[in-house]
Amino acid sequence: FHLTGVRLAPQGKLDVPVLFMPDEMRTYKTAVVIHVMRENGENWPYKVTGKPNTVFNRNLTVAENGETQGILWVYPIQGMSEAPQPKSVVIRCQARQRLEQRVEMMLIGVKPSETALPNASSSATVNAGESSNTQEVTDGSPETLEFVYELQCQSDEIKSQLESWLGMELVQKEWDTESRIVTLIFNVVFAPSKPIRNEAFLAVQCTRGGLWRFPLVLIATEPEVDDVINIEAVGLNKESIVGLKLTSQTR
């Protein structure tokens, strides 16, 4: 929108409302431009003498006599469309055990460019040897879709702990062109070393725009009993000693 005639006192504050209502799952870019001129119509005595493409002179509007007529402030804005959060995916495993399973994440509202639309639903397998969490998935069309994903936790400490126990790899993508739903299939490996219950998010972002966050509930139940220690008394009021070894998995 374009708004003019706003008066601002010296040392005053100007609030600029910004409303974002995306209708597609993509990235939107715009800018808020504020043009300040003197209320009495006079110019500032500063004359533009340098090159017009310098950072300072680009933010000035110049009158016919070369004096500064107005000053510009430009604030770039990037809007990221985010889908509503679905129900939580629960991953449960007994402590000191290893769970490996496939998890499907449905991305609703993916809108590729017109040239990337295939004739029918298709799927492709991603190279499982990739070390990066950015996977390029071909769909049989002239272009490809790229998805970047990461694990988001309440704190860095929880994230560091979960990353040592949890591994997620994008292995397959299925694209239904009629419903515009992309199904990402992840191979999840969960190997907790102690009982926990933590909540996290798997954030998936398409390089063409759009953000999907899938809630995860990670549960590690009590481990199996290691062994039973039997202590046999040697007599009344006498000590009996049994030795056992404990091995630490960390330093």
Side-chain angles (χ1 to χ4, degrees):
F1 65 93
H2 185 68
L3 185 62
T4 59
V6 178
R7 299 179 60 186
L8 188 64
Q11 303 298 323
K13 181 183 294 185
L14 176 64
D15 293 327
V16 180
V18 177
L19 179 64
F20 181 44
M21 297 178 62
D23 55 0
E24 294 180 3
M25 290 297 293
R26 64 180 181 88
T27 301
Y28 296 80
K29 293 183 179 180
T30 185
V32 173
V33 180
I34 299 176
H35 187 201
V36 175
M37 303 176 67
R38 285 185 168 180
E39 187 178 14
N40 56 13
E42 296 180 359
N43 299 327
W44 281 280
Y46 174 80
K47 291 188 177 182
V48 178
T49 57
K51 296 181 180 180
N53 61 347
T54 60
V55 175
F56 184 72
N57 292 338
R58 273 203 313 265
N59 293 345
L60 301 176
T61 54
V62 183
E64 293 182 356
N65 59 1
E67 294 182 344
T68 300
Q69 187 179 38
I71 305 174
L72 293 173
W73 282 267
V74 181
Y75 300 91
I77 295 178
Q78 178 172 300
M80 178 66 69
S81 304
E82 182 171 346
Q85 294 180 6
K87 293 182 179 180
S88 299
V89 176
V90 179
I91 301 175
R92 184 189 302 268
C93 179
Q94 190 177 29
R96 293 195 301 223
Q97 299 294 322
R98 184 179 184 273
L99 172 70
E100 184 171 356
Q101 70 180 53
R102 295 291 181 96
V103 177
E104 294 185 357
M105 305 294 188
M106 297 180 63
L107 277 58
I108 300 175
V110 179
K111 185 177 182 181
S113 61
E114 295 298 327
T115 58
L117 287 173
N119 295 328
S121 301
S122 60
S123 62
T125 302
V126 181
N127 183 7
E130 293 286 344
S131 58
S132 172
N133 64 347
T134 303
Q135 303 286 354
E136 184 179 276
V137 187
T138 59
D139 51 22
S141 61
E143 297 184 17
T144 61
L145 283 176
E146 283 190 8
F147 295 97
V148 180
Y149 58 94
E150 67 169 346
L151 190 67
Q152 297 179 347
C153 303
Q154 295 178 351
S155 67
D156 293 338
E157 182 179 358
I158 295 177
K159 183 176 181 180
S160 177
Q161 183 186 63
L162 290 180
E163 285 181 342
S164 63
W165 297 344
L166 183 68
M168 301 191 70
E169 182 183 14
L170 177 60
V171 294
Q172 189 173 344
K173 185 270 295 181
E174 297 177 354
W175 187 357
D176 190 327
T177 56
E178 294 184 1
S179 62
R180 287 172 51 189
I181 296 178
V182 173
T183 302
L184 299 183
I185 302 177
F186 290 86
N187 186 51
V188 178
V189 177
F190 188 35
S193 60
K194 64 180 181 180
I196 62 160
R197 181 186 175 90
N198 282 325
E199 296 181 357
F201 288 93
L202 176 63
V204 180
Q205 183 176 344
C206 182
T207 53
R208 290 187 188 148
L211 177 64
W212 295 261
R213 297 208 312 160
F214 299 94
L216 301 176
V217 178
L218 301 166
I219 301 175
T221 57
E222 291 290 336
E224 295 284 352
V225 174
D226 293 281
D227 202 354
V228 178
I229 301 174
N230 294 317
I231 303 178
E232 186 175 343
V234 297
L236 293 176
N237 298 319
K238 292 183 179 181
E239 293 182 352
S240 294
I241 299 175
V242 174
L244 63 146
K245 294 182 179 180
L246 299 178
T247 302
S248 175
Q249 295 182 356
T250 64
R251 292 180 180 272

